[in-house]
């Protein structure tokens, strides 16, 4: 099957700064793919290479099998981009901005107008169609960027920090729109600082740092690599850490903190029943239990060494 | 892939609408300027200057030069502003991330700007007609070679629209556009034979002036209006067309290279 995005050994340097340093990545058609990384990791540079706003220094990049340099027209026609920056034409009402954008992609004017209306309704700002961009609120501007990306009917939708600085309601609205698009076959590439977004939406995520891929996995896979924390509260505080038997081999550490026993294990849920049985066999009475799963954010910090 | 000719038309329409919807910024200033030019140079000073060439009254002699001046300024300003403003606010990305080819981009920007130059040229011509009609001492200015005039005016506007693209891509700030207009375009215009005949210059300056493309442009348009030329009209038009083709090719190459547009 043709990949929606395939890049090999992608490089981009700005003088001494290596923004992309041999990035290789494959995003399958129809996938909801997340790109995580700290500021300056190279996420936006990577996106801009795909859409032609940055010239790569080396390597190879394709969108649906089309080289982004040699077959740039086919590659760009397949992409809808909602960028971080508000780069919208200020001279025209937003309805016309969308009609123009659709026109650049070869969509005849009548159809372009219908599509513009549909896109504006989809993101909930149809009533504002005759306003200019500068008169929209911050949230509406963000919605317009998504509408502009949708108006060309892209096979690949690229969302670069789409929910940065927006309220919770809008964030959920946008999630709903992109999830629906993905369910209907649109490939989505999402960069985000909100780990929760990646956890909720993405089939797979790539963690990128210093212009290189650090890891690619499903959010669940990544989370399974982390360490869970099982906190058992005992009725009577033991004088010393209880001497665990078979369970001890399956945990990473055991600490006693007053009446609380804190156990770290790679799979806390599987270890807990045996742990409780052992404690009860030793005569301890368990009065509370808490299992805290590793968050994707903690994995991310662990992988990139970034504690933002 | 869907029809790309539609894409070219979409960008062309966007570019034309941008200035057509703002006539106070685009068409009113050249209208007022040229009414003043005709009043001062044509009527007040012109009657004292007398005639040039084959007994051509000064108001008629200066008209083609003013048409070229208006067409050139507007063609250049429109293209350079449109490109630079789009870069400055980054909305040119809407076009750059589309499947339009670099040739289509160049064509749409140049054609829209050249059209503005031609429209301003027509406005100035109409002002000239009104002034010569209203002045009892002159015949109404006519068009000696309509086809030649039309081709020349389009070529003149297109050439400077092509230069405007280069300026818009080169500029790093709005100051750059002012610099180009004041220190490049204006001297070329004023030493391009708009207000005086080339024969008024001494030998060396006459030769130096021939390197100024404006000389050929003014001479060509003057031939179209009045049937009077100081240079071979076919040669002037040939130079204009070749220069337009060359600078257009430079525009396409700059877009393809991403000059001023991509990092």
């Amino acid at each position: 099957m043709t990949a929606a995005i395939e890049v090999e050994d992608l490089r981009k340097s700005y003088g001494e700064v290596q923004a992309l340093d041999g990035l290789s990545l494959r995003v399958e058609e129809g996938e909801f793919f997340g790109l995580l990384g700290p500021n300056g990791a190279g996420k936006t540079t990577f996106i801009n290479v795909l859409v032609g706003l940055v010239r790569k220094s080396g390597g190879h990049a394709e969108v649906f099998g089309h080289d982004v340099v040699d077959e740039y027209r086919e590659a760009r026609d397949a992409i809808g981009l909602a960028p971080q920056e508000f780069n919208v034409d200020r001279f025209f009402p937003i309805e016309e901005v969308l009609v123009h954008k659709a026109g650049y992609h070869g969509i005849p004017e009548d159809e372009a107008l219908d599509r513009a209306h549909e896109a504006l309704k989809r993101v909930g700002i149809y009533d504002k169609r005759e306003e200019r961009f500068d008169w929209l609120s911050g949230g509406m501007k963000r919605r317009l960027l998504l509408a502009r990306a949708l108006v060309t009917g892209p096979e690949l939708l690229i969302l670069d920090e789409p929910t940065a600085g927006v309220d919770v309601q809008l964030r959920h609205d946008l999630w709903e729109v992109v999830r629906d698009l993905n369910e209907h076959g649109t490939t989505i590439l999402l960069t985000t600082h909100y780990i929760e977004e990646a956890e909720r939406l993405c089939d797979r995520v790539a963690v990128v740092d210093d212009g290189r891929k650090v890891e690619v996995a499903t959010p669940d896979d990544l989370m399974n690599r982390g360490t869970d924390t099982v906190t058992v509260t005992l009725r009577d505080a033991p004088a010393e850490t209880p001497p665990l038997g078979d369970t001890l081999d399956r945990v990473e550490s055991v600490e006693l903190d007053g009446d609380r026993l804190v156990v770290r294990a790679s799979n806390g849920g599987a270890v807990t029943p045996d742990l409780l049985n052992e404690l009860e066999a030793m005569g301890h009475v368990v009065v509370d239990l808490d299992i805290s799963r590793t968050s994707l954010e903690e994995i991310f910090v662990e992988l990139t060494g970034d504690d933002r | 892939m869907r029809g790309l000719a539609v894409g070219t038309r979409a960008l062309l329409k966007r570019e034309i609408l941008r200035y057509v919807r703002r006539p106070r910024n685009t068409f009113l200033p050249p209208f007022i300027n040229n009414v003043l030019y005709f009043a001062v140079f044509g009527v007040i000073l012109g009657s004292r200057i007398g005639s040039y060439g084959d007994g051509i009254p000064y108001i008629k002699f200066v008209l083609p030069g003013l048409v070229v001046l208006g067409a050139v300024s507007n063609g250049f300003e429109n293209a350079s502003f449109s490109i630079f403003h789009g870069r400055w606010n980054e909305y040119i990305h809407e076009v750059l991330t589309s499947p339009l080819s670099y040739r289509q981009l160049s064509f749409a920007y140049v054609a829209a700007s050249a059209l503005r130059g031609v429209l301003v040229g027509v406005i100035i011509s109409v002002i000239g007609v009104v002034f010569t009609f209203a002045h009892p001492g002159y015949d109404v200015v006519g068009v000696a070679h309509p086809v030649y005039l039309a081709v020349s005016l389009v070529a003149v506007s297109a050439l400077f629209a092509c230069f405007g693209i280069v300026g818009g891509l080169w500029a790093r700030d709005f100051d750059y556009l002012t610099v180009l207009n004041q220190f490049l375009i204006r001297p070329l215009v004023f030493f391009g034979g708009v207000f005086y005949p080339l024969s008024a210059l001494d030998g060396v300056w006459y030769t130096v002036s021939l390197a100024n493309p404006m000389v050929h442009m003014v001479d060509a348009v003057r031939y179209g209006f009045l049937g009077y030329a100081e240079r071979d009209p076919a040669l002037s038009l040939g130079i204009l067309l070749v220069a337009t083709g060359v600078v257009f090719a430079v525009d396409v190459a700059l877009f393809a290279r991403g000059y001023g547009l991509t990092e």
Side-chain angles (χ1 to χ4, degrees), chain A:
Chain A
M1 192 166 72
T2 306
I5 301 171
E6 185 156 30
V7 298
E8 279 177 32
D9 195 28
L10 198 59
R11 292 173 189 279
K12 176 63 188 177
S13 55
Y14 299 100
E16 297 292 308
V17 179
Q18 197 71 33
L20 293 175
D21 191 11
L23 179 68
S24 297
L25 204 60
R26 182 182 165 97
V27 176
E28 301 298 340
E29 192 173 345
E31 202 172 9
F32 203 131
F33 195 90
L35 208 54
L36 300 176
N39 288 328
K43 305 185 297 295
T44 300
T45 302
F46 167 61
I47 288 170
N48 284 343
V49 168
L50 299 181
V51 298
L53 295 177
V54 164
R55 293 190 299 277
K56 61 186 168 71
S57 308
H60 186 73
E62 285 184 1
V63 172
F64 290 107
H66 300 294
D67 186 282
V68 299
V69 175
D70 296 335
E71 298 170 291
Y72 68 94
R73 293 163 72 179
E74 289 84 354
R76 290 175 197 174
D77 199 29
I79 299 174
L81 169 66
Q84 278 185 57
E85 307 300 330
F86 292 140
N87 59 352
V88 177
D89 190 343
R90 262 84 165 168
F91 280 105
F92 296 92
I94 59 172
E95 176 186 84
E96 278 188 78
V97 169
L98 299 194
V99 170
H100 293 157
K101 179 60 178 167
Y104 305 154
H105 283 251
I107 297 165
E109 199 165 325
D110 289 348
E111 188 187 340
L113 186 62
D114 291 342
R115 282 181 181 229
H117 288 171
E118 190 185 324
L120 290 169
K121 283 175 187 167
R122 189 161 206 166
V123 301
I125 54 170
Y126 178 72
D127 292 346
K128 301 288 179 186
R129 64 189 180 283
E130 290 175 6
E131 300 283 343
R132 286 173 205 277
F133 181 75
D134 287 329
W135 303 114
L136 301 181
S137 68
M140 287 177 185
K141 286 176 176 171
R142 201 48 78 184
R143 287 172 192 259
L144 177 67
L145 291 184
L146 180 58
R148 191 182 60 180
L150 298 180
V151 77
T152 59
E155 296 165 81
L156 169 62
L157 178 62
I158 300 179
L159 306 165
D160 194 3
E161 309 275 358
T163 54
V166 304
D167 61 40
V168 175
Q169 181 60 49
L170 174 54
R171 190 177 305 168
H172 283 264
D173 288 351
L174 295 178
W175 286 353
E176 204 173 306
V177 171
V178 293
R179 195 184 278 135
D180 181 57
L181 285 164
N182 182 241
E183 282 168 6
H184 286 86
T186 307
T187 307
I188 314 272
L189 175 67
L190 168 77
T191 76
T192 181
H193 274 88
Y194 298 107
I195 310 289
E196 183 196 3
E197 223 164 49
E199 272 186 86
R200 283 195 177 203
L201 300 172
C202 297
D203 299 322
R204 290 191 303 153
V205 295
V207 179
V208 177
D209 196 20
D210 289 332
R212 285 188 298 271
K213 178 180 69 187
V214 177
E215 189 64 74
V216 176
T218 66
D220 280 345
D221 278 351
L222 278 182
M223 288 170 71
N224 286 337
R225 293 178 202 184
T227 307
D228 298 340
T229 304
V230 182
T231 306
V232 183
T233 306
L234 305 171
R235 189 182 61 194
D236 305 311
E240 57 184 27
T241 305
L244 298 177
D246 293 342
T247 310
L248 195 60
D249 299 333
R250 294 157 55 202
V251 303
E252 292 177 14
S253 69
V254 181
E255 285 173 26
L256 183 64
D257 179 15
D259 60 354
R260 294 190 316 147
L261 193 66
V262 180
V263 177
R264 295 184 195 284
S266 60
N267 191 344
V271 169
T272 302
D274 294 340
L275 172 66
L276 295 180
N277 286 339
E278 278 205 52
L279 288 170
E280 282 174 5
M282 283 185 270
H284 297 291
V285 178
V286 175
V287 294
D288 194 21
L289 172 69
D290 178 70
I291 303 174
S292 137
R293 289 197 46 111
T294 319
S295 73
L296 193 52
E297 187 150 7
E298 287 167 311
I299 308 280
F300 174 77
V301 169
E302 203 172 290
L303 287 169
T304 64
D306 178 68
D307 59 2
R308 290 181 300 153

